[in-house]
Amino acid sequence: MDILKERILKDGKVIGNDILKVDSFLNHQIDVKLLNEIGMEFRKRFGGEIVDKILTVESSGIGVACITAQYFDFVPVIFAKKHEAFNLDTETYESDIFSFTKNKNYRIRVSKKYINPGDKILIIDDFLANGSASLGLVKIAKEAGAKIVGVGIVIEKAFQHGRKILETENVRIESLAIVKSMEKGLVIFEEN
Amino acid sequence: MDILKERILKDGKVIGNDILKVDSFLNHQIDVKLLNEIGMEFRKRFGGEIVDKILTVESSGIGVACITAQYFDFVPVIFAKKHEAFNLDTETYESDIFSFTKNKNYRIRVSKKYINPGDKILIIDDFLANGSASLGLVKIAKEAGAKIVGVGIVIEKAFQHGRKILETENVRIESLAIVKSMEKGLVIFEEN
């Protein structure tokens, strides 16, 4: 997706060897017009598929998921919770994930009320890096007996192992920008 | 906003005396069509105002803010971060808030890069209860030298003290559904 790659080259910042900072348009300040382009692109990529619900994880996935849902007939968005709250149901699907940007383990949770057996679920997230968050969402959807239509990722870092890990779960992955390397601060994309 | 009040009566659950659970359409599962109605209503209420940016706080504010931005000429959305991360700038505006649903203090942060003096900021959040989160956002916007156009709230619990606290900051508050009381599990709205 050229408009996204151009934006990453223009406004993304490489920190160290493996952090790509896109907080000016994706995960702190959000460019909602760009999210609409992203939503349309997911619609194109998963065009032939029936989607009942979009599943993501707080926080950075929520904006992308909500805007994308508009291109899938306004299906409901469900976001997995990373943090305990009094108002979360006690009956939940759970999965443990590790966040490298926060250097912390999280247990993500989805109320059992919101995913039903047979639901056709599109998983959406902002990044695929080590695959921990996406894998957690896949596990939750599978535990619920849902059918996973695919995993839609805004930015994949191909030099980490997320795709390999997700592929063991036999899910279709569509990443809109695939970063092959970020050596010396230079972002190089895979052709896709 | 009638469609919202009807939805709260239909799908909201009162827990104890002061928790209104709306996780089936607002803050766990999200009804994106309803968010569009909410966005349009905010546009109507703040119709005469120029808005440069929408400011909210993770996580539940993000969906509402992103959809609402579409009705304000796709202005950028900025969400304050509640959790530390390696990829957040070190130069931040900060405010301490207390979450009653999580029984926990948070320091919320916004990178100084994303709010500039003179910016016309619309603050959006899902709930106004004790006012802690909204007040934190107001303080951050003021510290940055921004002009606060107003605070747009989806659901206000008028029997708590959020509005009183916010009014000391001289900000305009627009709440789309104002809950007057929830005694015996019965939600009663104020006329507005």
Side-chain angles (χ1 to χ4, degrees), chain B:
Chain B
M1 185 183 168
D2 290 341
I3 191 177
L4 173 64
K5 292 181 191 171
E6 285 158 18
R7 187 62 175 272
I8 293 168
L9 292 176
K10 182 171 157 278
D11 293 328
K13 304 255 176 293
V14 177
I15 298 176
N17 292 315
D18 53 8
I19 292 181
L20 176 60
K21 202 158 173 283
V22 289
D23 67 346
S24 65
F25 60 94
L26 194 60
N27 48 27
H28 183 24
Q29 181 169 253
I30 301 174
D31 179 340
V32 179
K33 202 172 261 178
L34 179 67
L35 288 201
N36 272 273
E37 299 283 345
I38 286 169
M40 273 187 264
E41 182 68 21
F42 281 133
R43 170 80 267 188
K44 218 168 80 183
R45 302 239 185 156
F46 293 103
E49 302 283 351
I50 293 166
V51 171
D52 296 319
K53 287 169 188 169
I54 291 178
L55 176 65
T56 189
V57 58
E58 62 180 345
S59 293
S60 317
I62 298 173
V64 185
C66 285
I67 300 293
T68 297
Q70 300 180 138
Y71 297 94
F72 287 85
D73 298 321
F74 291 85
V75 295
V77 167
I78 299 142
F79 66 90
K81 303 257 184 176
K82 274 183 187 163
H83 307 281
E84 302 218 34
F86 294 148
N87 54 358
L88 182 61
D89 291 330
T90 47
E91 292 289 298
T92 55
Y93 298 112
E94 300 184 353
S95 183
D96 289 328
I97 68 169
F98 181 76
S99 165
F100 286 84
T101 45
K102 299 205 165 89
N103 191 30
K104 199 175 158 179
N105 275 302
Y106 287 98
R107 177 156 294 173
I108 62 171
R109 295 179 171 87
V110 174
S111 165
K112 290 194 175 178
K113 282 193 298 208
Y114 303 128
I115 311 183
N116 302 310
D119 277 350
K120 295 173 190 67
I121 300 277
L122 174 61
I123 291 169
I124 293 281
D125 208 1
D126 58 340
F127 269 96
L128 176 62
N130 294 287
S132 189
S134 301
L135 184 67
L137 293 173
V138 166
K139 284 184 174 167
I140 281 174
K142 285 191 173 178
E143 197 192 336
K147 183 188 171 309
I148 298 168
V149 171
V151 178
I153 298 291
V154 181
I155 303 173
E156 175 180 343
K157 294 192 283 184
F159 54 90
Q160 290 173 321
H161 305 295
R163 181 174 285 263
K164 206 166 281 175
I165 289 167
L166 277 190
E167 280 172 348
T168 64
E169 296 285 331
N170 284 315
V171 290
R172 175 177 169 196
I173 306 160
E174 291 285 346
S175 301
L176 306 189
I178 302 182
V179 177
K180 194 158 65 177
S181 70
M182 306 196 309
E183 277 167 41
K184 294 177 188 159
L186 198 69
V187 176
I188 311 280
F189 295 105
E190 276 184 14
E191 294 299 320
N192 75 318

Side-chain angles (χ1 to χ4, degrees), chain A residues 48-78:
Chain A
E49 302 282 351
I50 292 168
V51 171
D52 296 319
K53 287 168 188 169
I54 291 177
L55 176 65
T56 188
V57 57
E58 61 180 346
S59 293
S60 317
I62 298 174
V64 185
C66 285
I67 300 293
T68 297
Q70 299 181 138
Y71 297 94
F72 286 84
D73 299 319
F74 292 86
V75 294
V77 168
I78 300 142

Side-chain angles (χ1 to χ4, degrees), chain A residues 8-51:
Chain A
I8 294 168
L9 292 177
K10 182 170 157 279
D11 293 328
K13 303 255 178 291
V14 177
I15 297 177
N17 292 316
D18 53 7
I19 293 180
L20 176 61
K21 203 157 172 284
V22 287
D23 68 345
S24 65
F25 60 94
L26 193 60
N27 48 26
H28 184 23
Q29 180 169 253
I30 300 174
D31 180 340
V32 179
K33 201 171 264 178
L34 179 67
L35 289 201
N36 271 273
E37 300 283 345
I38 286 169
M40 272 187 265
E41 181 69 20
F42 281 133
R43 171 80 268 188
K44 219 167 79 185
R45 302 238 186 156
F46 293 102
E49 302 282 351
I50 292 168
V51 171

Side-chain angles (χ1 to χ4, degrees), chain A residues 73-181:
Chain A
D73 299 319
F74 292 86
V75 294
V77 168
I78 300 142
F79 66 90
K81 304 256 186 177
K82 274 184 188 162
H83 307 282
E84 301 218 35
F86 294 148
N87 54 359
L88 182 61
D89 292 329
T90 47
E91 292 290 298
T92 54
Y93 298 112
E94 301 183 353
S95 184
D96 290 327
I97 67 169
F98 181 75
S99 165
F100 286 84
T101 46
K102 299 205 164 85
N103 191 28
K104 201 177 156 178
N105 274 302
Y106 287 99
R107 177 157 294 174
I108 61 170
R109 295 180 172 86
V110 173
S111 165
K112 290 194 175 177
K113 282 193 299 208
Y114 303 128
I115 311 182
N116 301 311
D119 276 351
K120 294 174 192 66
I121 301 276
L122 174 60
I123 292 170
I124 293 281
D125 208 0
D126 58 339
F127 269 96
L128 176 62
N130 294 287
S132 189
S134 301
L135 183 67
L137 294 173
V138 166
K139 283 183 175 169
I140 281 174
K142 286 191 173 178
E143 196 192 335
K147 183 188 170 311
I148 299 167
V149 171
V151 179
I153 297 290
V154 181
I155 303 172
E156 175 181 343
K157 293 191 283 183
F159 54 90
Q160 291 173 320
H161 304 294
R163 181 175 285 264
K164 205 167 282 176
I165 288 166
L166 276 189
E167 279 172 347
T168 64
E169 296 285 333
N170 284 316
V171 290
R172 176 177 168 195
I173 307 161
E174 291 285 346
S175 302
L176 306 189
I178 302 182
V179 177
K180 193 158 65 177
S181 70

